[in-house]
Amino acid sequence: MHNDNALIDQLKNKDERALSLLYDKYSGAIYSVIIKMIRDEGKAQNLLQDTFMTVWNKAENYDTNKGRFYTWIYRIARNKTLNVIRKNDPLIQTDDFSVYTNKEVAISIDPKYLELNGAIKKLEDHHKEAIELVYFKGLTHREAHIEMDVPLGTFKSYVRQALKQVRETYSKTLSLILLILTAL
């Protein structure tokens, strides 16, 4: 980390060698994040390059007191990737106000999924984010706790609590639906 601080200071002074060394150190990890999200090698390579161009241009905005350098680069890469994904996928809104990128998927959604989605939406924001990172974006617990900027143990606790709440809410909703159906 001390070595990173010296390189970051050099980067802020527009030292190309510092950028090259930081690129060598972090590009593999950042590329793996991008490729997991976008699943297109060409776009992932362009996004990696764009990410490090932003690091070069915005280096003075990085503050060591606000987080690790890797986390800062990770967020730049993630946001750029999400922007590309959103821009390239036309969204389709259905009668239940859910949004999908593919009309066939929108039509074939299982009602049980909608119930589960409703249970997830009732979670507190930090629990909802933990579930989304692990189960919908495919991050590992180690990757996700960095994304949320919380200790690993805290993150795992969020996931456990969220799953417990989802099970309780989902089973209550399911019981209520079964009760209504038997009454008909």
Side-chain angles (χ1 to χ4, degrees):
M1 185 63 186
H2 297 292
N3 190 21
D4 277 0
N5 288 338
L7 287 174
I8 292 164
D9 289 339
Q10 292 169 3
L11 177 67
K12 288 180 178 183
N13 291 321
K14 299 299 182 194
D15 183 342
E16 292 177 12
R17 185 182 141 289
L19 177 65
S20 178
L21 292 171
L22 290 167
Y23 179 89
D24 290 344
K25 182 172 184 177
Y26 293 106
S27 64
I30 296 300
Y31 180 78
S32 72
V33 168
I34 294 169
I35 195 75
K36 281 182 186 176
M37 291 176 68
I38 202 148
R39 302 184 198 291
D40 180 318
E41 194 171 321
K43 287 180 183 178
Q45 290 171 356
N46 289 338
L47 283 163
L48 180 66
Q49 180 179 356
D50 194 28
T51 296
F52 277 91
M53 287 304 298
T54 300
V55 167
W56 172 258
N57 292 325
K58 306 279 185 180
E60 66 279 355
N61 294 342
Y62 172 68
D63 182 357
T64 56
N65 297 321
K66 291 186 178 179
R68 294 181 17 219
F69 188 68
Y70 171 80
T71 306
W72 184 66
I73 298 174
Y74 173 87
R75 288 188 176 146
I76 292 170
R78 180 180 160 270
N79 290 339
K80 287 186 174 299
T81 304
L82 288 173
N83 287 341
V84 167
I85 291 169
R86 288 181 191 127
K87 185 169 74 173
N88 290 336
D89 288 338
L91 299 177
I92 300 164
Q93 188 168 17
T94 60
D95 293 338
D96 69 349
F97 299 109
S98 298
V99 178
Y100 304 94
T101 57
N102 181 323
K103 192 163 187 127
E104 289 78 32
V105 171
I107 292 169
S108 67
I109 295 298
D110 187 339
K112 290 180 184 176
Y113 167 79
L114 296 175
E115 293 168 32
L116 180 60
N117 192 29
I120 291 171
K121 287 181 180 178
K122 293 178 184 177
L123 296 173
E124 294 178 41
D125 288 340
H126 61 279
H127 288 138
K128 192 183 317 178
E129 184 178 0
I131 292 294
E132 287 174 358
L133 290 172
V134 173
Y135 292 100
F136 296 110
K137 292 186 179 174
L139 299 180
T140 65
H141 284 199
R142 290 195 186 281
E143 293 169 333
H145 92 88
I146 292 169
E147 170 70 18
M148 284 187 69
D149 200 24
V150 297
L152 181 59
T154 302
F155 179 80
K156 288 182 177 185
S157 174
Y158 288 170
V159 172
R160 276 192 304 275
Q161 292 167 3
L163 289 175
K164 181 180 177 188
Q165 290 174 21
V166 166
R167 270 189 227 108
E168 289 172 3
T169 303
Y170 186 65
S171 66
K172 287 178 187 175
T173 303
L174 202 53
S175 298
L176 182 61
I177 290 171
L178 290 173
L179 182 65
I180 292 170
L181 288 174
T182 56
L184 297 175

